[in-house]
Amino acid sequence: RKKSKAADGRWSKRFTWPEDLHRDFVSAIFDVGLKHSSPSTILEHMPKHEQITTERIKSHLQKYRMHRVKSKKEFISSYDASLRDFQNHGIDNTKPVSGAAAAAQLTHEDMTNATSGNRPA
């Protein structure tokens, strides 16, 4: 699909972020801080690349922020469910656990040690 004549005449095409560019994008966000991130500041902190524009960064940043909120909600939900499960049934060390479940397991162990008086060193 071509942009309208009023535009600069370039082809309008969906851009897929390669892994290395996405890694540079995320690295720039960590350098700047997500709350202070703007397309221009991220662009300044990324290596130069001919296909990266502030418009593409703006779109990618919006998607990144939306996904981050979703991921946080999913993590908290998984953490809460895992913690309830550990409190009700104990810890089964034979099952692999997710990141949220591992965090919940540590919390459960800390709570158990605190109530029993066995604080780890």
Side-chain angles (χ1 to χ4, degrees):
R1 199 173 74 179
K2 195 165 179 154
K3 289 185 176 184
S4 68
K5 294 282 184 189
D8 59 12
R10 291 182 291 180
W11 286 93
S12 173
K13 183 181 173 190
R14 183 175 183 269
F15 179 73
T16 302
W17 284 70
E19 268 188 56
D20 59 330
L21 284 180
H22 178 72
R23 188 173 34 257
D24 292 340
F25 171 84
V26 173
S27 178
I29 288 175
F30 274 91
D31 290 344
V32 175
L34 186 59
K35 288 185 178 183
H36 304 291
S37 294
S38 69
S40 59
T41 57
I42 292 172
L43 187 60
E44 290 172 10
H45 285 84
M46 285 182 67
K48 301 293 181 219
H49 191 278
E50 63 188 29
Q51 293 182 308
I52 298 301
T53 63
T54 54
E55 292 82 17
R56 286 185 172 152
I57 291 176
K58 181 180 178 181
S59 174
H60 202 54
L61 182 58
Q62 287 175 327
K63 291 174 188 169
Y64 182 83
R65 284 180 171 151
M66 286 188 313
H67 179 72
R68 186 175 173 274
V69 168
K70 180 181 170 186
S71 294
K72 182 179 178 182
K73 288 178 183 176
E74 289 172 352
F75 177 88
I76 294 298
S77 175
S78 177
Y79 172 86
D80 290 342
S82 296
L83 185 57
R84 278 191 305 274
D85 190 46
F86 293 144
Q87 289 169 337
N88 294 331
H89 306 290
I91 295 172
D92 181 357
N93 288 323
T94 62
K95 288 193 235 176
V97 294
S98 68
Q105 182 174 342
L106 291 172
T107 301
H108 175 69
E109 289 172 353
D110 282 348
M111 288 171 35
T112 303
N113 288 335
T115 58
S116 67
N118 297 331
R119 284 280 211 195

